[in-house]
């Protein structure tokens, strides 16, 4: 759902890196094709379909990725919830490379996604749910606090879970 705290900018097409700054919120639409999105401290991102080359976030607010095709994802230190599929209103996505989620404090949800390489979910707080994903290589879910649900997932390589 859209945040009422930040004005939204809707993104359609961009070949350049998009930077979401403090106090900004960006929604990526289902028809969007973007290169890289960098979410800086205090920015928020809502991906509702479309294709994104890479997502990098550091100390962001809310990060939500639903029904999209994405390359690499690295989300570190976000204060709001980090949602990559939730099994309900946020459809699963496919990730062509690896997904890394670490030190996020608002809870993490990774449900029913397809990840070609590695999924790493470490050092998060506020609750962590990692279920129903298909991971091509390795799955690592460790050092998280709050309620942690980390199965079942289909993993092509090694699994290290709490």
């Amino acid at each position: 759902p859209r945040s009422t705290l930040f004005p939204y900018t809707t993104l359609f097409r961009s070949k350049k890196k998009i930077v979401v700054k403090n106090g900004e919120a960006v929604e990526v639409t289902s028809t969007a094709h973007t290169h890289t999105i960098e979410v800086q401290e205090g920015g928020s991102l809502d991906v509702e379909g479309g294709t994104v080359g890479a997502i990098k976030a550091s100390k962001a607010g809310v990060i939500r990725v639903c029904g999209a095709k994405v390359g690499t994802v690295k989300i570190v230190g976000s204060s709001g919830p980090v949602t990559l599929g939730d099994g309900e209103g946020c459809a699963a996505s496919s990730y062509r490379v690896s997904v890394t989620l670490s030190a996020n404090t608002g809870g993490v949800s990774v449900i029913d996604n397809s990840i070609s390489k590695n999924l790493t979910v470490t050092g998060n707080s506020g609750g962590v749910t990692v279920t129903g994903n298909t991971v091509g290589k390795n799955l690592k879910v460790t050092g998280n606090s709050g309620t942690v649900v980390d199965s079942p997932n289909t993993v092509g390589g090694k699994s290290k879970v709490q």
Side-chain angles (χ1 to χ4, degrees), residues 28-30 32-35 37 47-55 65-73 91-97 113-114:
V28 177
T29 66
S30 62
H33 293 275
T34 65
H35 183 56
I37 299 175
V47 179
E48 296 293 334
T51 303
V52 179
I55 297 171
V65 181
C66 308
K69 294 178 183 176
V70 185
T72 301
V73 173
S93 297
S94 62
Y95 298 89
R96 293 184 313 273
V97 191
N113 299 285
S114 174

Side-chain angles (χ1 to χ4, degrees), residues 77-127:
S78 288
S79 59
V82 175
T83 305
L84 308 182
D86 69 6
E88 295 176 15
C90 179
S93 297
S94 62
Y95 298 89
R96 293 184 313 273
V97 191
S98 294
V99 173
T100 302
L101 309 172
S102 63
N104 300 293
T105 60
V108 171
S109 170
V110 185
I111 300 175
D112 295 335
N113 299 285
S114 174
I115 301 158
S116 294
K117 293 192 178 178
N118 302 311
L119 172 57
T120 304
V121 183
T122 58
N124 299 286
S125 60

